[in-house]
Every structure is written in structure tokens, then in C-alpha cells.
């Protein structure tokens, strides 16, 4: 049997293959066609993909009225051999109708997938690097302050003091010491306007380039030091040789490992005594960075001790004193109101904001932390340090009271990155959803974010915060009191849902490093302080 593409014979043969009903003649014909015709191969693979997608959703297909027994096996589908036996006994007309339906579905599916492939826009990013570590960094006030682990788009970085490490997507890594000014050009190119930098280039980042006003450096070995001053540039080859080109008309030279030169516009290239003294702080960056992290960790612990004196602190989970195999998580909040420790269901331990600290990771629909907060409140403030790994659900739970019980609250992140607080009234049918703009965007995934929301029953306002900054403030229409009752961190129990639907899944995918609940509305400066004292590495703005 000879099959050509496109043709009705091709459609019938592919449909038969999808359903395991192809004859030997059809298989031979398809094999010959697919070996010689690339277009037929592409179409064949596409139709198999569409068939797999359709077959994975049983709701797309209705039970045939004429031969329901064919579909009456376990799970609604008979084993293939039983189906074939029944098919042999069925009228040929049924097979023809079924095959025609298959071809029609495939045609519609192919069109739909093509439309999806051409119409859907993939997520894109201009970023070329990320800020990976800092030590006492002070950034220029005129530029947006880069956040730790944040992606960096092409553009300028102006560091007025301290140290900062930038890791390029090519794998190259630089440490800059302020005052310094860099311009990120691409994953493989950097312009240094002033300052002292240490550049490390692994083999995977071959072709990395560094430019200044006086010199161009290509394939800068494994480690080089560059000191760009007002008059001249000093270049040190610490590990590996360096290809450099001084001036516009200068030829390419090779600086061997262990050598150093100074490049000046009026004197050209002059040899220097090799040494590492002026780059000592950059070469010791790792040690200094670890010491800075330890210092920040200790500062946060001291801030927590001060915060725990606040009588409005109902819950504070710092995840500090929990046995690796333990399932009870102690709260350091005020217990006079009857709050208790929490219980873990599932969950895993992972590294938190600092290497020495742990965080609670939520991966599956089983993972959650159960707790109970009795009492009625006129105002509440929720605060958490989270690392979002993905927004897999339409609604992703941060902290939620069980079900839709009267006067309870649900704190969540929507799939589109919107922060939300749902407040239930005295009548469960009365509720208000207070949402922010989309703020937990794709480039923030994997970063430690400080999220907070203030439910202020006195001033009748709801304010959402991201990293200490208000991102939404709206009027509250539901009147207090409010309550928490039985609740979950990182998941949701559907108890109390009007239809008691057991399939409603709102689990969180990510990690939580710290969680606080206050029985009052914290002021904006207090939220700002919670963020400032909990940042993994303290960054400041230089200048007045």
C-alpha cells in the first residue's frame, strides 16, 4: 500500500495507529512515507501529540449509545484485546463512523494546537546577570537599588561603597568594590567605567569580554583583576593568560599568567610588579560575605527577641528550634489568648534566608502546617518571608482559615501574581476580595520576598505590602470582628465550603522562612522595619 501526504489514506492510517488498529499494510505504507517525507513526519508527530492530549481528558468524549458495552470495563475502558474482540463482532458501519470521528477530532485538534503555538506568547526576559551576594553594599541613590538574587537587565550599576558580586548568565562572575561603575551589556560582555573588579571566568563562559575607555580584554583567563582609575588602567592576570587590545588602533597582546600591566593613553602598555595586595578585599570576598551573613543572622535574632515583647504578637514561627524529624513547630508569640504550637503535615526542611537557618518547604498538595488561633479581633496583620517556586494553582494559599466560616480570612497569591485577602462576613454569603496589582511576577520566583497584609477594622482599610512597600490600599467593607480559628499555613482545608467540595486544591509551592500574626494593624513604618531587619543582606543607599 502506497500512502502519500497529504491524503485521506494518510489521515486514516494515522487515526488507526492512534487507536492501535492499524493493519500491517497501513504500517508499511506509513513507514515508507515517513522515511522520505519530512513534512509528513512533522504532521504525524503533531497528530500523535494531539491524540495524547485528547485521550488524557475523558470528559471530551461521550459514551457511545449504540455499543456502551465496549466501554464497560474497569475504569470505563476495556483492555485492548477485549475491545478488538468486541469490535470484530460489531458492524463494520460502527468502525467507519468511529474512524471518521477520530479523523475529525484530529483535524480540529491539529488546528487548535497550531493556533495555540502561533498565538501564545512565551515569557521573555532581557536579563543578562543576577546580583548574587553583597557585603555592606551602598548603592547610588540615582539608580534603582538591585535586590539580592534579582535578575539584572542590561544597564548601569553604580556601587558607592562595600562589595557586590554579579553572576552573568554565561557563568562568568565579577566582584566589584565601591566606588565603581559598571555597564552590563550582554551575558558575555561588560563595560567598566571606573573602580576595582575581580573577574572569574570558567571554561563554560569562553569568549567573555571586558571593555573600558582604554582597553578591551578578551578571553580573560580564569581570574583577572582590573583597576580602572581616572588616569590609566591596571590589569593583573591571576590565573590564566589574558588577551588585551589597548586603544582603537593597538594590536592584540597576550598577558601571561602572573603578569601585570598598566595601560595609559599617553604611555601605552607598561609592565607592573605582579601582586594581589590591592585586590585583597575582593579575593577575600567569600570569607567576608559569609561573615556578613552571620552578622545579619545574629541581628535578625536580636530583632526577633525585641519583637516578641509585643503583646499583640499572636504567632511567631521562626522555624529555629524544631527537630529535623519533629512534627510540632513552636510559636514564640503571646500564649495568653490560647494560641498553641503548630503541627506539620508533610513538608520538607530547606535552607532559609541564611545558610545556618532553616525554612519550611511546601512541595505537594499534602504539605501544610495546621494551627489554631481562638478569639475575635478588630484588626489583624499577617507577615511572612517566602520564596515562591511557582504559582501552580488559580489560587495559591499563604495562610487560610478552614473553609468559608463566618468572619474568617484567607491570605493568598493568585496565579497572575496578585496578592489577595478574602474577608468573610457574619453571613458566609457576604464576603470581600481585596486584591493588589500583579506583584509576584516571574522574575521574583526563587527570591526571598517579604509579604504582609494589614486588615484594619478601625480605619476600615486593607493594605498589601511587598518588601516593606505598600502595593495596594483599599476600603474594607466587611465590619469586624474577625477570627482565625482552625487554619493552615501553605495549604487549605475546604471544611465549611457550601458544597463541601473535596477537590478544591490551593496549596503553596515554595518555602516559608518566617511567619508572624499580630492582633492589631501595624503601621507602615513597622512593616518597613520588619522587612529591613529580616533582609538576608543589608543594602543601603549612599548620599544625602
Amino acid at each position: 500500500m502506497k500512502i502519500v501526504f497529504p491524503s485521506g489514506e494518510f489521515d486514516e492510517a494515522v487515526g488507526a495507529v492512534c487507536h492501535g488498529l492499524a493493519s500491517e499494510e497501513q504500517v508499511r505504507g506509513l513507514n515508507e512515507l515517513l522515511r522520505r517525507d519530512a513534512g509528513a513526519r512533522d504532521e504525524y508527530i503533531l497528530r500523535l501529540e494531539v491524540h495524547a492530549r485528547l485521550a488524557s481528558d475523558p470528559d471530551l468524549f461521550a459514551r457511545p449509545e449504540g455499543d456502551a458495552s465496549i466501554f464497560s470495563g474497569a475504569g470505563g475502558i476495556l483492555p485492548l484485546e477485549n475491545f478488538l474482540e468486541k469490535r470484530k463482532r460489531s458492524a463494520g458501519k460502527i468502525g467507519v463512523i468511529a474512524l471518521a470521528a477520530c479523523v475529525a477530532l484530529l483535524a480540529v485538534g491539529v488546528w487548535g494546537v497550531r493556533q495555540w503555538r502561533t498565538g501564545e506568547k512565551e515569557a521573555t526576559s532581557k536579563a543578562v546577570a543576577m546580583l548574587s551576594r553583597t557585603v555592606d553594599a551602598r548603592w547610588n541613590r540615582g539608580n534603582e537599588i538591585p535586590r539580592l538574587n534579582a535578575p539584572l537587565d542590561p544597564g548601569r550599576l553604580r556601587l558607592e561603597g562595600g562589595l557586590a558580586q554579579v553572576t552573568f548568565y554565561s557563568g562568568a562572575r565579577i566582584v566589584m568594590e565601591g566606588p565603581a561603575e559598571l555597564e552590563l551589556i550582554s551575558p558575555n560582555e561588560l563595560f567598566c567605567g571606573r573602580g576595582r573588579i575581580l573577574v572569574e571566568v570558567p571554561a563554560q563562559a569562553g569568549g567573555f569580554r571586558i571593555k573600558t575607555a582604554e582597553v578591551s580584554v578578551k578571553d580573560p583567563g580564569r581570574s583577572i583583576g582590573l583597576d580602572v582609575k581616572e588616569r590609566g588602567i591596571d590589569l593583573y592576570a591571576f590565573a590564566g593568560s589574558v588577551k588585551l587590545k589597548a586603544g582603537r588602533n593597538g594590536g592584540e597582546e597576550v598577558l601571561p599568567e602572573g603578569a601585570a600591566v598598566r595601560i595609559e593613553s599617553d604611555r601605552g602598555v607598561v609592565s607592573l610588579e605582579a601582586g594581589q595586595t590591592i585586590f585583597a578585599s575582593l579575593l577575600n570576598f567569600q570569607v567576608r560575605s559569609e561573615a556578613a551573613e552571620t552578622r545579619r543572622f545574629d541581628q535578625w535574632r536580636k530583632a526577633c527577641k525585641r519583637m516578641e515583647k509585643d503583646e499583640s504578637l499572636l504567632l511567631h514561627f521562626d522555624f529555629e528550634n524544631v527537630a529535623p524529624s519533629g512534627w510540632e513547630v513552636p510559636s514564640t508569640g503571646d500564649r495568653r489568648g490560647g494560641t498553641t504550637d503548630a503541627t506539620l503535615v508533610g513538608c520538607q526542611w530547606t535552607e532559609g534566608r541564611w545558610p545556618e537557618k532553616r525554612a519550611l518547604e511546601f512541595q505537594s498538595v499534602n504539605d501544610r502546617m495546621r494551627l489554631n488561633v481562638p478569639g475575635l479581633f478588630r484588626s489583624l496583620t499577617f507577615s511572612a518571608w517566602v520564596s515562591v517556586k511557582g504559582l501552580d494553582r488559580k489560587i495559591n494559599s499563604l495562610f487560610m482559615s478552614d473553609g468559608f466560616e463566618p468572619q474568617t480570612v484567607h491570605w493568598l497569591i493568585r496565579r497572575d501574581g496578585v496578592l489577595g485577602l478574602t474577608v468573610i462576613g457574619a453571613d458566609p454569603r457576604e464576603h470581600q476580595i481585596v486584591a493588589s496589582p500583579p506583584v509576584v511576577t516571574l522574575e521574583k520566583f526563587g527570591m526571598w520576598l517579604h509579604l504582609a497584609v494589614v486588615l484594619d477594622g478601625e480605619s476600615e482599610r486593607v493594605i498589601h505590602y511587598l518588601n516593606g512597600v505598600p502595593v495596594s490600599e483599599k476600603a474594607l467593607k466587611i465590619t469586624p470582628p474577625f477570627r482565625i480559628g482552625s487554619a493552615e499555613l501553605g495549604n487549605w482545608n475546604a471544611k465549611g465550603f457550601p458544597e463541601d467540595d473535596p477537590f478544591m486544591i490551593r496549596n503553596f509551592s515554595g518555602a516559608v522562612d518566617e511567619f508572624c500574626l499580630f492582633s492589631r494593624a501595624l503601621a507602615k513604618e513597622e512593616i518597613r522595619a520588619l522587612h529591613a531587619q529580616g533582609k538576608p543582606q543589608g543594602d543601603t543607599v549612599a548620599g544625602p
Side-chain angles (χ1 to χ4, degrees):
M1 179 180 184
K2 184 175 181 179
I3 300 176
V4 296
F5 173 75
S7 68
E9 289 80 6
F10 175 83
D11 295 337
E12 290 180 7
V14 174
V17 168
C18 288
H19 288 274
L21 305 176
S23 65
E24 292 184 9
E25 189 178 15
Q26 285 176 314
V27 170
R28 282 195 298 269
L30 271 177
N31 282 339
E32 292 175 2
L33 172 65
L34 298 178
R35 285 194 188 99
R36 68 175 186 269
D37 191 329
R41 286 197 300 272
D42 290 343
E43 186 70 13
Y44 176 76
I45 292 171
L46 179 62
R47 294 193 185 194
L48 290 184
E49 177 185 353
V50 172
H51 174 77
R53 288 175 180 268
L54 294 174
S56 66
D57 188 351
D59 293 336
L60 291 175
F61 302 96
R63 184 185 300 272
E65 295 180 3
D67 195 7
S69 61
I70 292 178
F71 294 84
S72 60
I77 302 177
L78 281 176
L80 180 61
E81 55 268 36
N82 291 2
F83 171 79
L84 291 176
E85 184 63 29
K86 284 181 173 287
R87 182 178 179 276
K88 289 177 182 177
R89 297 198 300 266
S90 301
K93 180 173 66 174
I94 296 177
V96 173
I97 294 173
L99 185 58
C102 172
V103 172
L105 280 170
L106 285 173
V108 173
V110 168
W111 178 85
V113 169
R114 283 175 175 160
Q115 289 294 104
W116 167 70
R117 286 181 174 176
T118 57
E120 181 176 334
K121 293 183 178 180
E122 292 289 338
T124 60
S125 172
K126 297 179 181 179
V128 298
M130 63 176 287
L131 180 67
S132 46
R133 299 177 86 103
T134 64
V135 177
D136 302 325
R138 301 190 307 279
W139 301 97
N140 183 274
R141 183 179 291 275
N143 296 74
E144 183 179 353
I145 299 176
R147 286 185 53 78
L148 195 63
N149 295 324
L152 299 173
D153 291 345
R156 289 188 179 183
L157 284 178
R158 297 177 64 184
L159 182 68
E160 297 301 330
L163 301 170
Q165 183 184 79
V166 174
T167 303
F168 286 80
Y169 286 171
S170 62
R173 183 172 63 179
I174 69 156
V175 178
M176 56 192 295
E177 182 176 24
E181 184 172 336
L182 305 180
E183 184 174 357
L184 312 182
I185 299 174
S186 76
N188 265 307
E189 188 170 353
L190 163 72
F191 181 87
C192 182
R194 63 167 176 149
R196 194 174 294 157
I197 63 173
L198 177 68
V199 184
E200 295 176 311
V201 183
Q204 297 85 349
F208 193 79
R209 299 177 299 279
I210 308 165
K211 293 182 178 180
T212 73
E214 302 289 344
V215 66
S216 174
V217 178
K218 182 181 179 183
D219 293 326
R222 296 188 303 279
S223 177
I224 70 166
L226 192 66
D227 189 10
V228 180
K229 297 172 284 191
E230 194 172 320
R231 293 180 59 85
I233 298 163
D234 294 346
L235 177 61
Y236 294 75
F238 295 133
S241 60
V242 180
K243 297 177 183 177
L244 64 96
K245 182 178 179 181
R248 293 184 178 180
N249 301 318
E252 188 174 83
E253 302 181 37
V254 177
L255 183 66
E257 180 175 337
V261 294
R262 174 169 292 163
I263 302 104
E264 296 179 352
S265 56
D266 54 348
R267 297 177 59 192
V269 180
V270 180
S271 294
L272 290 176
E273 182 180 347
Q276 300 182 355
T277 306
I278 66 170
F279 292 94
S281 59
L282 286 83
L283 292 165
N284 293 328
F285 175 78
Q286 187 71 22
V287 174
R288 294 185 62 179
S289 176
E290 291 173 359
E293 289 176 343
T294 300
R295 187 167 64 249
R296 285 290 300 168
F297 189 26
D298 290 339
Q299 290 170 350
W300 168 77
R301 280 174 161 167
K302 292 176 182 177
C304 288
K305 293 296 183 183
R306 295 192 298 269
M307 180 182 66
E308 288 162 8
K309 296 178 182 179
D310 187 337
E311 294 183 356
S312 71
L313 183 63
L314 296 171
L315 294 173
H316 180 214
F317 295 106
D318 57 17
F319 306 117
E320 281 276 88
N321 300 306
V322 185
S325 59
W327 58 285
E328 287 189 333
V329 182
S331 167
T332 56
D334 186 4
R335 296 178 179 271
R336 287 177 295 179
T339 57
T340 60
D341 296 336
T343 300
L344 291 183
V345 179
C347 300
Q348 303 293 323
W349 292 108
T350 187
E351 184 178 295
R353 283 169 284 172
W354 300 278
E356 309 98 306
K357 189 182 182 311
R358 292 189 305 171
L360 198 59
E361 187 170 24
F362 300 82
Q363 297 178 346
S364 77
V365 296
N366 304 313
D367 296 342
R368 62 196 70 207
M369 193 169 82
R370 294 282 300 163
L371 52 96
N372 183 67
V373 182
L376 298 174
F377 310 96
R378 297 196 62 80
S379 297
L380 291 166
T381 297
F382 302 85
S383 166
W385 278 97
V386 304
S387 174
V388 178
K389 302 299 172 60
L391 297 176
D392 309 326
R393 313 293 176 196
K394 182 178 179 181
I395 295 176
N396 305 265
S397 171
L398 288 171
F399 182 87
M400 290 188 174
S401 298
D402 284 357
F404 289 98
E405 298 292 341
Q407 301 171 312
T408 56
V409 293
H410 295 169
W411 189 26
L412 55 94
I413 311 176
R414 278 188 352 204
R415 179 178 289 162
D416 55 3
V418 166
L419 299 174
L421 187 74
T422 300
V423 187
I424 313 298
D427 183 340
R429 292 173 297 181
E430 177 190 10
H431 67 278
Q432 181 183 359
I433 302 173
V434 186
S436 77
V439 292
V440 185
T441 46
L442 185 63
E443 69 274 8
K444 294 184 176 68
F445 286 11
M447 297 170 55
W448 284 110
L449 307 174
H450 181 244
L451 305 180
V453 63
V454 174
L455 174 62
D456 192 340
E458 301 296 340
S459 65
E460 299 177 349
R461 309 294 294 173
V462 173
I463 308 175
H464 286 284
Y465 291 83
L466 172 65
N467 294 327
V469 178
V471 293
S472 172
E473 182 171 350
K474 295 182 180 178
L476 175 63
K477 299 176 182 178
I478 304 296
T479 58
F482 310 110
R483 65 189 185 91
I484 303 296
S486 296
E488 292 184 345
L489 181 71
N491 218 313
W492 186 56
N493 188 330
K495 176 183 177 183
F497 186 69
E499 298 177 4
D500 207 15
D501 186 351
F503 300 106
M504 194 171 288
I505 298 175
R506 295 183 175 178
N507 65 297
F508 174 67
S509 178
V512 179
D513 183 280
E514 182 181 10
F515 176 79
C516 299
L517 173 63
F518 297 84
S519 61
R520 63 183 178 90
L522 266 61
K524 292 181 180 180
E525 55 270 19
E526 292 178 295
I527 300 292
R528 191 162 52 245
L530 285 177
H531 168 252
Q533 70 194 23
K535 286 195 298 184
Q537 293 180 332
D539 301 325
T540 58
V541 178

